[in-house]
Structures are given as structure tokens and as C-alpha cells.
Amino acid sequence: MKLIKKRKRKKGFILSQINIFFTILVMLEMVLTICFAMLVEHIIGDILNVNISTSTFLLLMGIGMGVTLAFLVNRIFFKPIQKLSAAMNDVADGDFKVSISAKSPIDEVKQLYDSFDLMVKELGATEILQTDFMSNVSHEIKTPVNAIEGYATLLQGGENTPEEEAEYIEKILFNTKRLSELVGNVLLLSKIDNQAIPKNEKRFRLDEQIRQSIMQLEAKWIEKDLELDVELDKIEFVGNATLLIHVWDNLIGNAIKFSPKSGTVKIKLLAGSENIEFFVEDCGPGISDEDVKHIFDKFFQVDSSHKQEGNGLGLALVKKIVDLNGGRISVQNIHGGGCSFKVELPKD
């Protein structure tokens, strides 16, 4: 609301300056016309000894000065506006490569051009992101759908053994779950991006929520015979509990997924001096420096061998949720193997 008020004040200020500019021009024209007409009348009267009325000189000089000033105003003020209007029509037609520069001596016109160029760059970047996002979503949806269709076709053959049918059904259920998770993540990301998620902030035990997440993933870490080194300080936090559970599920789930069998996963929740700090460390292969730069990008997956297990939206969603709760997330490799994710959340 404050931003809107500032923009309105700024707009009013610019309009007032333009009004003052034109008022000064009109007054200047009137003064110059009168002075110049009297001067010319005097000179012509002395030299040519011709008696021409002052009103006639004022009329002629007024026309001349008016045409001159109209030309200057058109070149200085209206030409840039016409140029801007043409550029806006190009943008409306979908051309986001438009760039304009102002040669007007009026600072407000230059600022208007700069703001327009900035707006076009942002719109172009948004268009690219949306196109890439839709392309990636289409690809990610197509993969499990094709798998479901393939296994369903095999089931229709009628010549399968019970073991084969059970395997095909398991594959169909697995890809159905993948598809459901993908659609759920896309919808949640869309809601967060469009700020359509209600705050729903409440006070809750952060350590208890993380403990619940660990228990929900029990089957996975037991299957890999992993040892969990857990240290959770008793901490209360005010935030969106429904969204934050996605953070712990994803980070702990990834640590389990990338750790080798009989490895160790360390999970810590500490009450720091300024922030609440959450750490999860795996003992996997780590992440390359190049991959670290894109780790929180949508649809980016580090290990191609695990692509069938995810859709590349988990960490992007995690970062969005952490940002929404006023925190920050970072990742670094551990000397000797593995990587560590750190989430910092603000204290009350």
C-alpha cells in the first residue's frame, strides 16, 4: 500500500512538473512575442519609414513563435512518447527484445525509458522461465504416463504369470505415485509463487515435527540399514507448520537416498545465538561445485541414477518454503565424503 502511494505521489510530481514546463513555455512565448514585435516594429518603422500597427506585428510574431515552439515541444516531448507507444505495442505483440533510448533533455522522459527497458527485461525473463517450466512439466508428466500405459498394455496381454502381473501392478502404482507427487509439487510451487498460500502461522514444537518426519521415513532408513545420529534441541517456532514438514521430509529423505548402505545420517536442530539452525548430513558421494550452483533450480537433478525416484522439484520447493518463513538454506560438501544442508530460521 505504501508503494502504491509513493508511485501515485511520484506520478503527481511528474505531471506537475510537466504542467509547470508548459506554463513557462506559454508565458515565455507571450513575453518574447511582445518584446520581439515591438523591437521589429521600431526597427522597420525607422528604416523603411513604414507605419504598421502593433497588433499586426503581435499576430505575425505570435504565429511565428508558436510554430517554432510547437516544433521544439513536439521534438523534445511528444516524439519520445510516440516512440514509447510504438515500443509498447511491440511488447504487447510478444516482442520482449525491444530496447529504447531517450535523447530528451527532460529527466522524467529518460526515467520513463529506463523503467520501460527494465520492465521489458523482467517480462522477457519471466516468459523464458514460464516456457522452460511448462516444457519440463510436460516432460516429467510424460515419463510416468508412458510407463503406466506400457505396463497396463502388458497386463492386457492375458499371458502373464502371477509374478509378472504383480510386478507390472507394482510398477503402475509406483509411477502413479510419482505422477501424484509431481502434480502436488507443481500446484504447491504455483501457490507459493502467486502468494496464494494463507500464512496459517502458529506456535509449534519444531523438534517434534522433525522427529515425526524421521519416523515417517523409518522404512527407508531401516531398509538401507542406516545409523541415524540425531540431536534435537527443544525449540518452539512460529510459522507455517503444514509447509515446513515438506522441508524436513525432503532433506532427510534425500540424505537417506544418497547415503550408501550401513552408512550414517546426522540430523541436528540447534538453538543458535541469533537463529534456529537445522543440519542434515549424509555420507554419500557429495555434490560437484557446478551442481551446487543449480541445486535449488526447478527440475534440476544431481544424480542421473536417481532420476526415476524424483522429479527435480523437491529442493526448489524447500527453498521457497524456507524463504517464505523468513529463513535461508545452504549446502556444502563435507571433507571426506557426503554433503551437508543447513537451514536457518529466525527466532521469535
Side-chain angles (χ1 to χ4, degrees), residues 91-323:
V91 173
D93 291 335
D95 183 4
F96 298 108
K97 295 181 180 179
V98 177
S99 179
I100 55 177
S101 58
K103 296 181 180 179
S104 173
I106 302 175
D107 291 337
E108 285 73 18
V109 174
K110 293 180 181 179
Q111 292 175 6
L112 186 63
Y113 272 39
D114 291 341
S115 298
F116 175 81
D117 282 342
L118 179 62
M119 178 195 72
V120 172
K121 288 179 182 178
E122 292 295 331
L123 286 174
T126 302
E127 180 72 12
I128 292 172
L129 286 173
Q130 288 180 342
T131 302
D132 291 345
F133 184 74
M134 291 305 299
S135 176
N136 287 324
V137 167
S138 300
H139 174 74
E140 292 294 335
I141 288 178
K142 186 178 179 181
T143 302
V145 167
N146 286 342
I148 292 170
E149 182 181 8
Y151 289 117
T153 302
L154 290 173
L155 282 173
Q156 286 182 327
E159 299 178 357
N160 305 304
T161 65
E163 291 78 11
E164 289 175 333
E165 289 184 355
E167 181 184 355
Y168 299 156
I169 292 172
E170 182 181 353
K171 295 290 185 181
I172 290 173
L173 291 173
F174 173 77
N175 284 282
T176 303
K177 184 180 178 182
R178 279 189 63 196
L179 189 59
S180 177
E181 289 177 351
L182 172 62
V183 173
N185 285 341
V186 169
L187 290 174
L188 187 55
L189 270 174
S190 177
K191 288 181 179 179
I192 293 175
D193 286 337
N194 293 290
Q195 298 182 351
I197 296 273
K199 282 192 174 183
N200 288 336
E201 291 186 347
K202 63 179 182 180
R203 181 174 295 275
F204 64 99
R205 284 276 299 277
L206 202 57
D207 54 307
E208 284 298 329
Q209 189 181 58
I210 294 171
R211 195 170 287 110
Q212 290 173 10
S213 178
I214 294 171
M215 296 309 299
Q216 287 176 358
L217 296 166
E218 182 180 10
K220 293 185 177 180
W221 51 266
I222 287 181
E223 181 184 358
K224 297 186 74 170
D225 192 28
L226 295 177
E227 179 183 346
L228 268 60
D229 183 357
V230 181
E231 180 184 346
L232 303 176
D233 288 352
K234 182 180 178 180
I235 296 176
E236 289 189 346
F237 179 72
V238 177
N240 193 316
T242 305
L243 289 179
L244 278 171
I245 190 64
H246 290 280
V247 175
W248 322 128
D249 286 350
N250 188 279
L251 294 179
I252 299 172
N254 280 346
I256 293 171
K257 180 168 66 176
F258 289 103
S259 292
K261 285 191 174 183
S262 302
T264 301
V265 173
K266 295 181 180 180
I267 303 169
K268 293 182 181 180
L269 178 67
L270 307 174
S273 57
E274 298 181 357
N275 297 305
I276 299 168
E277 299 176 344
F278 171 81
F279 300 88
V280 57
E281 300 177 2
D282 63 53
C283 54
I287 306 171
S288 69
D289 293 337
E290 184 63 30
D291 288 341
V292 167
K293 299 176 184 177
H294 306 283
I295 196 69
F296 298 109
D297 292 351
K298 295 172 184 175
F299 295 104
F300 181 78
Q301 291 177 274
V302 175
D303 186 358
S304 60
S305 65
H306 288 280
K307 281 190 176 180
Q308 71 277 8
E309 300 177 20
N311 49 55
L313 285 177
L315 289 177
L317 186 57
V318 164
K319 188 176 188 309
K320 290 281 185 182
I321 294 172
V322 172
D323 291 343

Side-chain angles (χ1 to χ4, degrees), residues 75-94:
R75 187 173 184 83
I76 294 173
F77 187 76
F78 291 108
K79 279 285 185 182
I81 292 179
Q82 291 173 355
K83 186 177 179 181
L84 178 63
S85 177
M88 291 173 70
N89 288 331
D90 291 337
V91 173
D93 291 335

